[in-house]
Amino acid sequence: MAAKKSARKRQITQDDLFDVKYVCEATLSPDGNLAAYTLSETSSSGDKERQVHSVWLIETSGGKARRLTRSKGSSYSSQFSKDGTTIYFLSSRDKVPQIYSMPVDGGEAEAVTGLPQGVDRFEVTSNDSLVFSALTNIPAKPSDDDHPRIDRFWFRFDPVPGYLQDINQTIYIMKPGGKPKALTDGNGMMMGFSVSADGKQLAYLVTGFSHHEFVQSDLCVVPTSGKRNPKVVLKNRIFNQITWHPSGQSVICHGQIKGMSVNGSYFTVNVENSSISDRTGPLDLNAGIALQVHIPASVGSKMLTDSDGSKLYACITRGGEAHPNIIRLRGKASAKPVCDGQEANHLMAKHGDKLLVISHSTNEPPALYLLNEGSGEKKKLTSHNEVWQQKFNWPAVERIVIKVKRNVEVEGWVIKPRNARAPYKTILNIHGGPHAGYGCTFWADMHELVGAGYAVAFMNPRGSTGYGQNFMQAIFGCWGYPELEDFNAFLDELVKRKIAHPDKLGVTGISGGGHLSSWLIGHTNRFKAAVPEQGVYNMISMWGV
């Protein structure tokens, strides 16, 4: 009997990208034997097309994943009860997101909350209470005659529909089966919150009408008993993530305290005396995952501590890579990567010496892995895209580092198509920010262009994060000129290597990349086409971004 002829591998098309499944959230059971995760996939097409999320379980020893939720709407943000027998999650199966519970062994999901306005995010405490944030009230739908008065510089934020003066949130606490009790006064937007290990204290970041700068917030602490008014620990800080230190005497925050044009850092903040210790700033490292990714599912990363509070496990971006690091919380600052490689690893959970991460790279969509803290070795747990990936002749990815001039070295990459001959028609894709970066992440848009026969070049010019503060601040007072020099040097190198065709160059970018796309075509004639997207075209009003 003749062997079955294998299907010929082909290039990725736009339609193929709707079949990608993205692992975008994950957590571990208390005993570390189970991982619960969220899978995002495209449902329907045309005007009805949307991303749908579902909750899955898999044993960390390996095996086949089991889907827990199949209802209409999306289910996501799963967390285990402290005894590991119940899993809680958010689901929009009944119009607005509510907290649901389900036995880990399977069964019917039951609604835990029933707020008309729904639930935004939640956390399970050490005594299995639920702490969650929700809209204080449902904003009235504006009529055609309503004309909002804008009295603050930061008046809209993309994840929140509508104008920010209409958005207020409250944090509640409740026992499953009980009634929610408000812990905060219902004013302002919650940027993040965390419950202490003993379940007795709530720390939260809130931004309100007094915060006129971009994402400034106050750090507040309140007892979960609700018997005392919140204490304001810090005011007007650019913090975006928070977790408690095991001691209960301090919290750990991610953000910036000296403006937005500095490295992100991990800080410890004493909740009694408000003292701050920067644990990564002295190392000139950019804390967090600062690599831009353009996929239809958001992948975050968590901050975790060891049991005695001496070490923080959190991600740091170095150039085009992002990995979990072990960060010293006492004494001299230190940050040691748990692994390395041309990829991004988002930290989700920790149990013993095992870290649960979501990993992706240029040719690998986000998947779930177990990472060994000691050896840095990874074991893949999920394979939702394995059959899909086998259809394609994946493009070659080349990393290129060039010296622009003395003391200026830039890093970039080029994705080369398999269905064309070099030198290629080449599109320069510019990241936003400008204080952000590109790297070894899965980009759906880039693969669409490569599948159409273009090479896609992307790099981190001066102003980008991940290369130290001096590199990031090199564009102060001269935005556009250093980047122009870096982009030209990068493209010159691609032409020299006969990768890019000098007469077939295009440029595109979003936000800060849209601004630079417009800047480049106003300062050089080397591009035959440009598609600036949502760029900063007016430096006073920031119109267009």
Side-chain angles (χ1 to χ4, degrees):
M1 189 178 197
K4 186 177 179 180
K5 188 176 180 180
S6 61
R8 185 176 179 180
K9 294 183 183 294
R10 58 180 178 82
Q11 307 306 306
I12 292 178
T13 67
Q14 183 184 63
D15 289 342
D16 291 320
L17 293 167
F18 293 104
D19 296 327
V20 186
K21 299 177 181 180
Y22 301 92
V23 176
C24 54
E25 298 170 322
T27 189
L28 285 172
S29 60
D31 61 9
N33 292 331
L34 286 175
Y37 62 94
T38 300
L39 189 70
S40 177
E41 52 192 314
T42 305
S43 174
S44 301
S45 60
D47 293 340
K48 295 183 178 180
E49 175 195 310
R50 60 196 175 98
Q51 285 299 118
V52 175
H53 299 72
S54 53
V55 176
W56 294 65
L57 276 181
I58 192 167
E59 294 182 3
T60 54
S61 59
K64 188 176 180 180
R66 175 164 58 97
R67 183 171 180 169
L68 280 185
T69 61
R70 294 182 178 275
S71 65
K72 64 179 182 179
S74 284
S75 298
Y76 52 98
S77 296
S78 52
Q79 295 185 43
F80 287 91
S81 61
K82 295 309 174 184
D83 64 4
T85 62
T86 302
I87 191 164
Y88 296 97
F89 56 92
L90 291 174
S91 179
S92 59
R93 62 187 66 192
D94 190 20
K95 295 183 181 180
V96 295
Q98 304 288 356
I99 302 174
Y100 284 77
S101 67
M102 177 186 288
V104 169
D105 294 336
E108 293 296 321
E110 295 184 358
V112 179
T113 59
L115 280 72
Q117 66 271 39
V119 173
D120 176 46
R121 66 183 85 176
F122 76 100
E123 189 172 314
V124 181
T125 71
S126 56
N127 63 357
D128 277 330
S129 291
L130 301 173
V131 174
F132 58 90
S133 60
L135 288 173
T136 304
N137 46 55
I138 303 174
K141 291 184 178 180
S143 69
D144 294 338
D145 296 328
D146 285 342
H147 302 287
R149 180 181 179 183
I150 306 304
D151 59 0
R152 55 187 288 172
F153 182 74
W154 177 45
F155 65 95
R156 286 187 72 97
F157 192 49
D158 286 345
V160 178
Y163 294 95
L164 294 184
Q165 57 257 42
D166 295 329
I167 305 298
N168 287 293
Q169 293 174 309
T170 300
I171 298 179
Y172 300 87
I173 187 170
M174 68 175 287
K175 280 282 191 181
K179 293 183 178 181
K181 179 174 69 174
L183 296 177
T184 62
D185 61 11
N187 291 317
M189 287 177 56
M190 298 300 163
M191 307 300 292
F193 65 84
S194 178
V195 180
S196 59
D198 61 9
K200 295 181 179 180
Q201 297 184 88
L202 168 71
Y204 60 97
L205 302 170
V206 58
T207 182
F209 294 117
S210 63
H211 302 99
H212 287 262
E213 298 299 324
F214 186 69
V215 288
Q216 280 187 339
S217 58
D218 295 340
L219 167 59
C220 304
V221 173
V222 66
T224 55
S225 64
K227 294 180 180 179
R228 195 169 68 239
N229 291 331
K231 174 184 178 180
V232 179
V233 179
L234 292 174
K235 293 182 68 69
N236 302 327
R237 303 292 178 164
I238 305 177
F239 288 158
N240 53 48
Q241 201 172 3
I242 186 170
T243 191
W244 276 94
H245 187 272
S247 66
Q249 298 174 347
S250 61
V251 293
I252 302 165
C253 295
H254 172 264
Q256 296 129 310
I257 59 173
K258 296 180 180 178
M260 294 192 67
S261 297
V262 296
N263 284 327
S265 284
Y266 293 116
F267 304 91
T268 58
V269 182
N270 187 297
V271 298
E272 294 300 324
N273 61 24
S274 304
S275 61
I276 303 173
S277 176
D278 188 344
R279 304 312 305 168
T280 53
L283 305 173
D284 199 20
L285 295 173
N286 193 49
I289 294 184
L291 303 178
Q292 292 191 342
V293 184
H294 199 189
I295 58 177
S298 177
V299 184
S301 189
K302 297 180 181 177
M303 303 183 299
L304 308 168
T305 62
D306 61 352
S307 58
D308 69 356
S310 63
K311 293 181 289 189
L312 171 69
Y313 294 79
C315 290
I316 287 177
T317 301
R318 292 176 173 87
E321 303 176 10
H323 304 291
N325 278 241
I326 303 172
I327 299 160
R328 188 181 296 163
L329 292 178
R330 300 169 187 156
K332 187 178 180 181
S334 170
K336 178 184 176 183
V338 177
C339 58
D340 57 16
Q342 292 279 288
E343 59 191 18
N345 289 295
H346 302 245
L347 180 60
M348 294 288 115
K350 179 182 182 297
H351 187 274
D353 63 353
K354 300 293 191 296
L355 305 179
L356 189 67
V357 299
I358 294 175
S359 179
H360 56 117
S361 59
T362 308
N363 285 342
E364 177 78 24
L368 195 63
Y369 288 79
L370 208 59
L371 172 64
N372 185 284
E373 177 185 339
S375 66
E377 294 181 354
K378 290 195 311 180
K379 180 177 76 172
K380 192 173 185 179
L381 296 179
T382 60
S383 55
H384 292 282
N385 294 300
E386 187 174 332
V387 174
W388 178 82
Q389 287 176 278
Q390 291 173 358
K391 297 178 183 179
F392 309 115
N393 190 9
W394 288 90
V397 182
E398 185 175 348
R399 176 177 177 262
I400 296 174
V401 178
I402 59 169
K403 187 173 184 178
V404 179
K405 60 183 182 180
R406 184 181 178 185
N407 297 327
V408 177
E409 189 175 80
V410 296
E411 180 182 29
W413 300 262
V414 59
I415 310 175
K416 297 179 284 188
R418 300 285 191 184
N419 59 341
R421 292 183 179 180
Y424 308 105
K425 299 177 292 182
T426 300
I427 296 173
L428 176 66
N429 192 313
I430 305 174
H431 69 69
H435 300 317
Y438 274 161
C440 311
T441 61
F442 187 79
W443 260 76
D445 292 12
M446 291 189 189
H447 280 292
E448 179 183 343
L449 293 169
V450 173
Y454 297 92
V456 176
F458 53 106
M459 62 164 293
N460 292 327
R462 276 169 282 178
S464 303
T465 52
Y467 303 90
Q469 201 144 287
N470 288 339
F471 190 90
M472 179 170 51
Q473 296 179 348
I475 63 171
F476 279 18
C478 53
W479 193 8
Y481 291 101
E483 299 99 304
L484 173 63
E485 188 176 20
D486 296 346
F487 287 131
N488 274 331
F490 184 61
L491 291 172
D492 288 345
E493 183 67 20
L494 294 182
V495 170
K496 177 183 175 182
R497 297 190 187 193
K498 301 189 183 302
I499 295 173
H501 194 297
D503 299 322
K504 297 179 180 180
L505 299 176
V507 61
T508 188
I510 298 176
S511 189
H515 163 83
L516 283 172
S517 300
S518 301
W519 175 275
L520 289 179
I521 60 174
H523 290 77
T524 176
N525 294 318
R526 73 186 306 171
F527 297 103
K528 294 297 185 286
V531 183
E533 299 181 60
Q534 299 159 269
V536 182
Y537 306 122
N538 185 316
M539 298 302 289
I540 297 175
S541 69
M542 289 290 178
W543 180 86
V545 66

